[in-house]
Amino acid sequence: MIPVTFNGLLGKLHLPPQGRSSGLGVVIVPPHGVEALAATKTLRRMAEGLAAAGHAALRFDLPGTADSLGVDTDPDRVAAWVAATGDAAAVLARHAGVGGVVYAGLRFGATIAAMAAADRSDLAGLILLDPVVKGRLYARELAMTARALAEGARLDPDATATEAGLSIAGLTTSAETLEAMRGIDLQRLTVPGAPVLLLSRKGAADARQLAGAWATGMVTAAEVKGFEAISLSPTMAATPTQILADTVAWMNGLSGKDTVLPVRPPPAVLAGPYFREEGLVFGEAQRLFGVLCEPATAAPGRPVLLIVNAGRNSHVGWARSGVQLARELADQGIASLRMDLAGIGDAGDRPGSPDSLDSVLYNKANEAQVRDAVDLLAGRGYGDVTLLGACSGAYLALHQATRDERIGGLIIVNIQRFVWRPGESVEEAIASAYPLAASYAAKVFEARAWRRLLTGERQIGPLIRAFSKRATDRLRALRPSEETRQARAIMRRLSERRIPVDIIFSENDAGLGDLALHFGSGGRWLAGQDNIQLTILPQADHDLTPPAARDILIAHAAATAKRGRIAS
């Protein structure tokens, strides 16, 4: 994988083995909004599969999204996305030397691909994966998704719709963009003059209608299983391997094209008003990926922050929080590296590693990868590194800070485990991550809370076991467990090294149970450590979806990074 930039956009180029090019290249357009975050790994593995079969592929971030420049409320988004897809085709042809370009997309990315394809007379093919055919139906779906995600995060669903547009998992789709979406109907497009692969989820009536409308063309259409596995949650998403295999097989059936000598891409650099970013492949077998964001003017001491993945969210972060954090810190003179660990987002999988939570999160191999990232920063001339992680990334950051002397500051957000419990799988840990008992007690007469239990959305067995264990642990509080002794020993080591530790929790986050288990109610044991600051964020969910919560995190990150080690 080779990072590339063009017209303010960041892309990733996947080239076939030398001498095995089909002469065809595939431009892969991501979905819209939160679906793009959940689909990052699927589209990366799609590009890898295509390249291995001899077809170059280019994934890229649409204008105002992910790592690209701009914001999602910029004007004329749909038109800009269509235009960017055409630009990506030119970049792919130049740097891969291909003679024919295929457009491919997932969900609304397929819609954009189809619209961009209508402007090309030299199109070699079109791949539509679970496409949005009618924009007016999609706009309704977005409104329902916004409310469902807000309710699931215990935020106000009524606040997701305003005159400005929709807030969907912290990402804004403007009223102007929604209106442009409503006007889209792929059935009104001219039938493509190139082969088309149309794969849709079972029962998708609009996809069947599109296949019928394009029946005079060269269309291969099928309803398949697997799209549901991608979901809206990057952590819980699964890769639809059969769909990817079918896509590669269809590509293999296209006629090849002549190749030309490719032009090697320059370093993947984006320049903002107060920052310079570079996409980098580094570390373990060159499979790790990160974006180094450096300020136009560095603060005294050249502070730097290393941001590790939260769950299986890519380095972009939930609600684009990783990008926002990096760029706002750069405005304060602080550099940062937002990275993907192996098997997450844009970073390649370890050979033989299964597509499971336990193969990635809380994995011992992650320790060496964080060291690789610190090595990269050291090679760029940075000294002490402040490490930031949320959820599983908080656990990794906490333990890495005790091992690497180059870590000079620590920010951990909504950590779920201070010490890993022997024999517990990641799936079990997630299943037991219920809100605190007080939260459920307050909802005894709320029908929604009980419905989650009765419909199976919340499993009652793990809930009872979790509450029982908390009660038992409180009875044993006078005699700390081995896990508690380990957790307190970690904090003592960080205190001895004078490392500032910023611990942040959302109110009622499940991780507060582990905090109380090891450090007493409200973390009172930590009050005796002058290097530790504990903050509880009101009206915030686990992912810090509300902008106010993310603003507080940015302020804490800036203060801790600039503070450095505490003087003795």
Side-chain angles (χ1 to χ4, degrees), residues 67-312:
D67 289 312
S68 291
L69 299 181
V71 294
D72 48 17
T73 54
D74 287 338
D76 301 320
R77 290 300 78 195
V78 173
W81 296 338
V82 172
T85 302
D87 294 340
V91 170
L92 176 60
R94 181 167 64 253
H95 295 314
V98 296
V101 173
V102 174
Y103 285 161
L106 174 66
R107 294 285 288 144
F108 196 72
T111 310
I112 295 298
M115 295 170 68
D119 295 331
R120 292 193 72 97
S121 59
D122 59 346
L123 186 73
L126 177 62
I127 299 171
L128 305 180
L129 302 179
D130 197 21
V132 171
V133 177
K134 297 181 182 296
R136 60 182 177 80
L137 298 180
Y138 183 59
R140 294 179 195 168
E141 178 187 332
L142 290 178
M144 291 187 291
T145 299
R147 293 185 63 87
L149 289 174
E151 186 172 357
R154 292 182 293 167
L155 301 173
D156 181 7
D158 292 334
T160 58
T162 67
E163 291 185 3
L166 276 175
S167 177
I168 311 168
L171 295 171
T172 299
T173 301
S174 70
E176 179 194 51
T177 299
L178 288 168
E179 188 60 27
M181 287 175 169
R182 291 188 186 100
I184 295 172
D185 186 345
L186 296 188
Q187 294 183 61
R188 295 201 293 260
L189 295 179
T190 302
V191 178
V196 177
L197 176 64
L198 171 57
L199 300 180
S200 60
R201 64 185 68 203
K202 291 187 177 297
D206 54 350
R208 286 198 302 271
Q209 292 169 5
L210 179 63
W214 287 3
T216 56
M218 298 170 282
V219 179
T220 300
E223 293 185 352
V224 297
K225 295 180 179 179
F227 287 118
E228 301 83 1
I230 300 174
S231 77
L232 295 172
S233 166
T235 295
M236 304 310 296
T239 304
T241 53
Q242 187 57 54
I243 291 174
L244 301 189
D246 292 344
T247 301
V248 173
W250 183 84
M251 277 292 303
N252 291 341
L254 298 183
S255 299
K257 302 289 185 179
D258 293 333
T259 60
V260 298
L261 188 66
V263 176
R264 183 177 179 84
V269 174
L270 291 176
Y274 43 82
F275 62 84
R276 174 190 182 275
E277 290 190 337
E278 182 176 0
L280 299 167
V281 173
F282 67 98
E284 181 184 280
Q286 292 294 288
R287 67 171 56 96
L288 307 183
F289 179 79
V291 177
L292 179 63
C293 182
E294 297 184 291
T297 303
R302 296 189 73 211
V304 64
L305 187 75
L306 173 59
I307 309 166
V308 296
N309 299 106
R312 290 199 292 184

Side-chain angles (χ1 to χ4, degrees), residues 35 45 74 155 268 371 410 482 515:
E35 288 185 311
R45 292 186 66 172
D74 287 338
L155 301 173
R371 286 198 300 273
L410 180 63
E482 176 58 28
L515 177 76

Side-chain angles (χ1 to χ4, degrees), residues 274-275 293-297 325-335:
Y274 43 82
F275 62 84
C293 182
E294 297 184 291
T297 303
L325 173 63
R327 292 176 181 175
E328 293 200 20
L329 288 182
D331 194 28
Q332 301 182 52
I334 302 167

Side-chain angles (χ1 to χ4, degrees), residues 6-12 60-71 270 275 277 316 320 323 327 338:
F6 58 99
N7 299 346
L9 313 180
L10 180 65
K12 293 93 184 181
F60 71 105
D61 298 328
L62 293 165
T65 74
D67 289 312
S68 291
L69 299 181
V71 294
L270 291 176
F275 62 84
E277 290 190 337
V316 170
R320 213 183 178 197
V323 177
R327 292 176 181 175
R338 51 188 190 270

Side-chain angles (χ1 to χ4, degrees), residues 27-43:
V27 172
I28 300 175
V29 188
H32 168 69
V34 67
E35 288 185 311
L37 186 67
T40 302
K41 180 170 183 173
T42 287
L43 296 187

